[in-house]
Amino acid sequence: MNLRKIYAWLPILLLGLAAPAPAVPVLTNMDLVVGTVEQAVDQALGQLETQAVGRDQLLLVAPQGKHAATWLVDHLLAEGLLARGFTVTLDSAAAPVGTPRLSYRILDLGVTGRSSLWSGQFHRDSRVNLVLQLSGSAKGAPLDWQGEVAGHLADRVPKDRLPLLQDAAYDFAKIEVQRQSWGKFVEPVIVSAVLGGLIHLFFSNR
């Protein structure tokens, strides 16, 4: 390649180097929770696939107890089961008597956040813990399978974006902020300074 061709391409190369990197999308709190629950559901369904449950047999998905996020777990469980070839219903009233049941209980679900006083970044932790039970898939077996699964996702987001990442419609996705104060850092400094002064006075007066 001669110098004339190099000079012709040089402005294009420089523009490419100067172009800003594509922005990485910031997940909302709800997006983070959904990803965390998907992680736990994948684990649960991976364990369930080892059980003797026929794909052509209707399976009822039902929560044990009330939780604000049961609708989300219902949806992701049903979606995952359908993708694996299972026949699923969420309507217990319409399910025939004796339909195998996959029930679950949400033990823990939420988002916590923390940040140092001088940092512009906020650290988010999303976690979920589920207990699942399969019953009625085998004759004479009151409980065919039980498992406990957990999901965890973490990231960092700019502090000034936090108000945009919250959603008042979903209380379970609101960030539980772990507060920090200057006292945690100042108190050790004060104690060290006082002890240093006392030691200095002790030796200077001898």
Side-chain angles (χ1 to χ4, degrees):
M1 184 179 288
N2 58 38
L3 289 177
R4 184 175 295 177
K5 290 184 178 179
I6 292 176
Y7 289 139
W9 280 98
L10 189 58
I12 298 174
L13 292 174
L14 291 175
L15 283 174
L17 292 174
V24 177
V26 178
L27 298 177
T28 66
N29 293 348
M30 191 60 186
D31 290 334
L32 199 63
V33 169
V34 169
T36 308
V37 176
E38 285 178 334
Q39 190 183 89
V41 165
D42 283 343
Q43 293 178 38
L45 298 186
Q47 296 177 27
L48 181 66
E49 284 186 308
T50 65
Q51 308 304 310
V53 186
R55 296 295 198 275
D56 56 345
Q57 189 177 24
L58 185 63
L59 186 61
L60 172 63
V61 174
Q64 297 177 354
K66 294 181 179 180
H67 191 284
T70 53
W71 63 271
L72 174 61
V73 181
D74 275 348
H75 172 77
L76 293 177
L77 274 174
E79 185 178 64
L81 288 164
L82 289 170
R84 286 168 169 80
F86 287 92
T87 306
V88 182
T89 181
L90 299 173
D91 188 355
S92 58
V97 176
T99 299
R101 175 187 294 258
L102 178 64
S103 58
Y104 68 89
R105 185 168 71 256
I106 301 174
L107 299 181
D108 184 35
L109 187 150
V111 184
T112 55
R114 66 183 186 278
S115 176
S116 60
L117 294 170
W118 51 81
S119 173
Q121 295 289 308
F122 195 83
H123 183 90
R124 292 187 301 179
D125 278 288
S126 175
R127 84 277 175 189
V128 65
N129 191 253
L130 306 174
V131 170
L132 301 99
Q133 294 180 337
L134 175 66
S135 57
S137 63
K139 292 182 179 179
L143 181 63
D144 306 319
W145 169 78
Q146 178 171 300
E148 183 173 342
V149 293
H152 174 258
L153 290 175
D155 68 357
R156 292 180 181 275
V157 296
K159 278 184 178 179
D160 58 2
R161 298 291 299 276
L162 282 179
L164 302 176
L165 305 179
Q166 305 275 27
D167 192 329
Y170 306 111
D171 286 340
F172 59 84
K174 289 182 179 178
I175 293 180
E176 304 164 17
V177 181
Q178 299 174 350
R179 299 289 181 185
Q180 290 186 344
S181 66
W182 283 108
K184 179 180 177 181
F185 307 100
V186 173
E187 286 177 9
V189 175
I190 294 175
V191 171
S192 299
V194 171
L195 288 176
L198 291 174
I199 292 171
H200 174 72
L201 288 174
F202 175 77
F203 284 103
S204 62
N205 291 331
R206 292 189 64 181

